[in-house]
Amino acid sequence: MCKKISRTGRFTLLAHFVLWFLTVSLLLRFTFFVWEHNEVSWGFTDLLRTLLTGLFFDIGSAAFISLLPALYFALLPNKWIGSIVDKAIVWFFVGLNVFIFTFSFFAEITFWEEFSRRFNFIAVDYLIYTHEVVANINESYPLPLLIGGIIILTSVILFIFYKTKGFALTFTSKVTTRQRITVLSSVMILTLFYGFFITNSSAEWSENRYNSEISKNGVYSFFAAFRNNQMKYTDFYTSIDQNKALGIVEEKLKSTNCSFKDSSHSIHRTITDSVASSEKKNVVFILVESLSGSFMKEFGNDENLTPFLDSLAQKSIFFENLYATGTRTVRGMEAVTLCIPPTPGRSIVKRPENSGLYTIRNVFGSKGYDCNFFYGGDGYFDNMNAYFGGNGFSIYDRGRGSVLSDKIQTVRHNITDEEVTFENAWGICDEDIFNKMLSVADEQYKKKQPFFNFVMTTSNHRPYTYPSGKVDIPSGTGRAGAVKYTDYALRQLFEQASKKPWFKNTVFVIVADHCASSAGKDAIDVGNYHIPAFIVNFDETSSIKINKQCSQIDLFPTLFTLFHWNYESDFFGRDVLCNDFEERSLLGTYRKLVLMKKDKVMVLSDQKKQDFYSWNKKTNELKPIGMNNDFLNETISWYQTADYLYNNKLLQ
């Protein structure tokens, strides 16, 4: 006798899973509300809209997740329902999906802890670099306990499904053709609707960034970032005629000491100095991980985290009002090497075909410098080796078996175990990478070779571990200790370097890659782009505090002018010390592009939107103001031109 046909039976387990997913997504949303209770808008309308928008995106995520199970349940013949094979497949994949999404919910909490955002392109990148990410998680959290807890939770959820007859009805209920068509077509229609018509940015309805982020669904956000990690400017942002945009940028880059190439599609120009010098000072450039300006006593911090850097601020060329271009290390690298505004989507460092670009190495190389990149981890991470190697740097890194493409003509040196005293997920400690650079500099000096050594630090990064006994904050206890250790390591570097025969002829340039956090309730958290920068040991009398508002992209053009060098330039940055320098900074996220001029801020968003604000530096708050078309056109011009020149291979 045929088993009774249930109207919903065969799809009961799928319904259980969807209900569980929606319930946990709602609970997670409430968790973030409580977490950010001082930042979110609690107005009834805002709260209701956040929850309803969130539910809308949760349903979309559930539809995508349900598509394959719905196909399986709809297409499997009735005679195979409840068979051993059917039971094995259903049990395995339901268990696997519950485990994966339970893990993802916990992952969202840890991601929010660090970035105050739903999953974005950073989470996508983390999937690629599994060694660093898994090691970081293992060093930051009790991973065995976490995995064990997720397995227990998965078992409890499956048990609830079992006790509520989810499995029993799924394995004993036959399905009519009408049921198959109804369920499958409903899921497919929802999937197509969300896939073609609903973008993740549709959740960004609120002026309060926290409400907008909480409105999103992590799974939906993850796959949206996966699809859109590279964005052509003119497809997503307000644009103007390219010749007009280029003309505006050229006008902003004009100065008495430069002449533009005779071309309507380039910013290439020759920089000349009236007292041109052939002097070749060595340059040690240190890009410091996550060194926010707010960590320094110089900017009001009272925790004494950076005593050495605070002392350097008094005896260096110190940039008091400089802003990072982005929120990730690769953005900082892009800014200082290419001197270019942040282009939409992923950094140029991460993109394919990014070799042979005109970078600061070309300037140093034209002067006969030996140029090297030092990184304490595996430079495969974030595509660093491919970028630096493909643009003429020799590489010193902690290779873990990754291999560079044969197309990249460079020399890669492995930092050996004998040279390492401490190492965590991200690489060797700052002291070790500095010591490696010092030993290489000694060899360069012996060969009478002027050098440009680019050092990327790693210690000021979660899990915040470093050698014990160096500072008065225990290793692994938080950001403050890592900042203090980085400051300590820099002091040790200078103490050792000062004893070297090459020290007097060496300039040290120090700047942060980005701030430790960029989270805020406004569209862009301007205050969390403020970073310190130093030019140290330029000469014995150089002690200047530069208060002009400027950008990471201006750092090396300023240094080259201090050297009185003549050089070729494709750079968007300018010498900050020149009399006609117009104060401004260019910054953004992977989707928002910003021009700031003193207290006025223009924000370009994808979907071809733009907003204009006044910025209160003391409160770090943005207030909407009426649109200024000249300001808007200038903002568009910087970013549209940068994107155009890069994509048309005009920065080579």
Side-chain angles (χ1 to χ4, degrees):
M1 180 180 289
C2 293
K3 295 179 181 178
K4 183 179 178 181
I5 295 175
S6 169
R7 293 181 64 186
T8 58
R10 178 60 175 168
F11 298 96
T12 301
L13 195 55
L14 180 58
H16 279 33
F17 178 86
V18 169
L19 182 60
W20 167 77
F21 180 84
L22 296 177
T23 301
V24 178
S25 296
L26 177 63
L27 292 174
L28 187 62
R29 194 162 284 112
F30 276 121
T31 299
F32 291 148
F33 257 115
V34 174
W35 194 330
E36 306 293 353
H37 64 277
N38 289 326
E39 302 290 345
V40 296
S41 173
W42 284 97
F44 177 76
T45 302
D46 290 337
L47 177 62
L48 183 63
R49 188 167 179 180
T50 301
L51 294 176
L52 290 177
T53 303
L55 177 61
F56 178 78
F57 279 90
D58 292 345
I59 291 171
S61 299
F64 283 112
I65 296 166
S66 300
L67 182 58
L68 285 179
L71 275 169
Y72 174 78
F73 289 139
L75 298 180
L76 190 73
N78 279 338
K79 64 180 180 179
W80 291 348
I81 292 176
S83 66
I84 293 176
V85 173
D86 180 40
K87 289 180 179 179
I89 290 173
V90 170
W91 270 99
F92 176 77
F93 282 103
V94 170
L96 179 64
N97 276 277
V98 171
F99 177 86
I100 288 172
F101 288 106
T102 301
F103 183 88
S104 77
F105 288 132
F106 279 103
E108 276 205 73
I109 292 172
T110 61
F111 193 83
W112 189 278
E113 181 184 14
E114 185 162 359
F115 301 104
S116 296
R117 282 175 167 81
R118 294 286 196 168
F119 287 148
N120 57 19
F121 73 105
I122 299 174
V124 175
D125 284 350
Y126 278 4
L127 277 186
I128 300 171
Y129 306 109
T130 53
H131 173 85
E132 288 82 359
V133 174
V134 172
N136 182 40
I137 293 171
N138 191 39
E139 292 174 10
S140 302
Y141 306 98
L143 192 57
L145 187 63
L146 180 63
I147 296 297
I150 292 172
I151 291 173
I152 292 172
L153 281 174
T154 299
S155 301
V156 169
I157 294 162
L158 291 177
F159 180 73
I160 293 172
F161 288 176
Y162 175 80
K163 292 297 290 183
T164 54
K165 299 189 181 301
F167 285 100
L169 289 170
T170 297
F171 295 140
T172 59
S173 302
K174 302 301 181 181
V175 194
T176 65
T177 301
R178 182 178 180 180
Q179 284 178 310
R180 296 175 192 272
I181 294 173
T182 300
V183 172
L184 184 57
S185 61
S186 298
V187 174
M188 290 184 71
I189 289 170
L190 276 174
T191 302
L192 291 171
F193 169 71
Y194 278 91
F196 283 99
F197 300 107
I198 306 300
T199 63
N200 199 48
S201 59
S202 302
E204 297 170 2
W205 57 271
S206 176
E207 292 184 359
N208 186 313
R209 190 190 63 80
Y210 285 97
N211 285 72
S212 292
E213 287 294 324
I214 294 171
S215 295
K216 296 176 182 178
N217 176 278
V219 175
Y220 204 96
S221 296
F222 178 87
F223 285 99
F226 186 84
R227 291 175 59 188
N228 296 314
N229 59 18
Q230 186 169 330
M231 307 163 72
K232 186 177 179 182
Y233 179 90
T234 52
D235 290 344
F236 291 89
Y237 297 87
T238 304
S239 59
I240 59 177
D241 177 76
Q242 183 55 55
N243 289 329
K244 179 180 179 180
L246 189 61
I248 291 173
V249 172
E250 286 185 349
E251 189 65 31
K252 295 296 177 181
L253 294 177
K254 278 184 180 177
S255 65
T256 56
N257 68 337
C258 79
S259 56
F260 279 87
K261 181 180 178 181
D262 186 19
S263 169
S264 60
H265 298 287
S266 171
I267 61 167
H268 188 84
R269 59 205 186 278
T270 301
I271 310 294
T272 56
D273 196 288
S274 59
V275 288
S277 171
S278 59
E279 184 179 18
K280 296 177 182 178
K281 287 180 177 288
N282 304 311
V283 177
V284 173
F285 175 68
I286 303 168
L287 192 62
V288 183
E289 173 69 45
S290 304
L291 183 64
S292 302
S294 59
F295 292 144
M296 293 183 62
K297 182 180 180 181
E298 186 73 13
F299 298 117
N301 189 291
D302 59 3
E303 298 176 83
N304 194 34
L305 299 178
T306 58
F308 178 67
L309 287 173
D310 284 312
S311 71
L312 283 187
Q314 317 311 318
K315 52 186 179 184
S316 67
I317 300 172
F318 180 56
F319 296 77
E320 294 183 309
N321 201 13
L322 185 143
Y323 291 81
T325 61
T327 61
R328 295 204 66 203
T329 295
V330 286
R331 280 296 187 198
M333 290 176 169
E334 171 191 270
V336 296
T337 56
L338 286 166
C339 305
I340 192 173
T343 50
R346 58 169 44 184
S347 164
I348 290 171
V349 175
K350 297 274 295 173
R351 297 189 193 182
E353 300 182 7
N354 62 5
S355 60
L357 300 173
Y358 192 86
T359 72
I360 56 172
R361 194 221 67 87
N362 293 79
V363 178
F364 282 107
S366 70
K367 309 292 182 183
Y369 279 67
D370 181 31
C371 301
N372 301 279
F373 172 64
F374 295 81
Y375 178 61
D378 188 335
Y380 168 74
F381 182 76
D382 267 350
N383 205 46
M384 287 187 280
N385 280 354
Y387 175 74
F388 283 96
N391 287 290
F393 287 82
S394 296
I395 295 167
Y396 291 82
D397 76 328
R398 190 83 166 120
R400 298 192 180 97
S402 60
V403 179
L404 277 171
S405 168
D406 292 336
K407 296 179 181 179
I408 298 174
Q409 301 299 312
T410 190
V411 179
R412 184 182 184 190
H413 306 268
N414 187 49
I415 300 171
T416 64
D417 292 345
E418 291 72 25
E419 297 172 291
V420 177
T421 64
F422 183 90
E423 188 170 16
N424 65 17
W426 296 106
I428 63 179
C429 65
D430 290 351
E431 287 174 278
D432 287 346
I433 195 65
F434 292 153
N435 287 337
K436 180 63 180 178
M437 186 279 298
L438 289 170
S439 68
V440 173
D442 288 342
E443 294 301 315
Q444 292 165 319
Y445 175 74
K446 289 177 183 178
K447 296 175 183 178
K448 298 182 179 181
Q449 177 81 56
F451 57 81
F452 171 54
N453 289 338
F454 185 128
V455 184
M456 179 69 227
T457 74
T458 59
S459 291
N460 187 23
H461 194 295
R462 186 182 295 278
Y464 312 125
T465 54
Y466 41 85
S468 299
K470 304 291 184 176
V471 296
D472 57 2
I473 302 175
S475 172
T477 57
R479 172 78 73 178
V483 173
K484 198 162 192 176
Y485 170 72
T486 292
D487 183 79
Y488 168 85
L490 285 165
R491 182 190 296 274
Q492 295 303 113
L493 167 65
F494 275 83
E495 286 183 1
Q496 293 181 58
S498 66
K499 302 171 186 176
K500 302 291 186 179
W502 45 261
F503 179 75
K504 286 187 177 180
N505 191 46
T506 301
V507 174
F508 293 78
V509 182
I510 305 170
V511 69
D513 56 355
H514 56 82
C515 281
S517 171
S518 60
K521 64 182 180 180
D522 289 324
I524 197 87
D525 189 359
V526 176
N528 274 328
Y529 285 78
H530 179 228
I531 57 174
F534 314 74
I535 298 176
V536 186
N537 203 41
F538 181 73
D539 61 42
E540 295 180 356
T541 60
S542 291
S543 179
I544 307 170
K545 290 188 177 181
I546 301 171
N547 193 41
K548 294 180 182 179
Q549 186 184 88
C550 57
S551 168
Q552 278 172 317
I553 70 174
D554 302 312
L555 193 55
F556 276 96
T558 302
L559 180 68
F560 296 152
T561 297
L562 288 169
F563 284 165
H564 298 291
W565 280 358
N566 295 336
Y567 66 98
E568 300 299 307
S569 175
D570 277 328
F571 305 145
F572 288 76
R574 289 194 61 195
D575 167 27
V576 176
L577 295 173
C578 72
N579 293 329
D580 60 351
F581 177 80
E582 183 179 6
E583 296 185 45
R584 55 90 188 94
S585 55
L586 296 142
L587 48 103
T589 65
Y590 79 110
R591 288 177 51 210
K592 295 186 184 297
L593 308 172
V594 179
L595 172 64
M596 177 168 67
K597 300 172 79 170
K598 297 192 175 179
D599 65 341
K600 297 297 185 290
V601 177
M602 183 71 72
V603 180
L604 304 179
S605 303
D606 52 2
Q607 297 186 317
K608 304 194 175 186
K609 295 179 180 178
Q610 48 274 328
D611 297 282
F612 195 37
Y613 302 94
S614 63
W615 176 51
N616 186 318
K617 189 172 184 178
K618 289 184 178 180
T619 63
N620 193 29
E621 292 180 338
L622 295 176
K623 180 181 179 181
I625 56 177
M627 184 56 62
N628 181 317
N629 288 327
D630 290 338
F631 202 119
L632 173 61
N633 285 337
E634 182 185 344
T635 308
I636 292 169
S637 297
W638 285 111
Y639 292 105
Q640 182 177 324
T641 300
D643 185 76
Y644 171 81
L645 294 180
Y646 172 74
N647 284 305
N648 287 279
K649 302 187 183 302
L650 295 170
L651 295 176
Q652 296 176 327

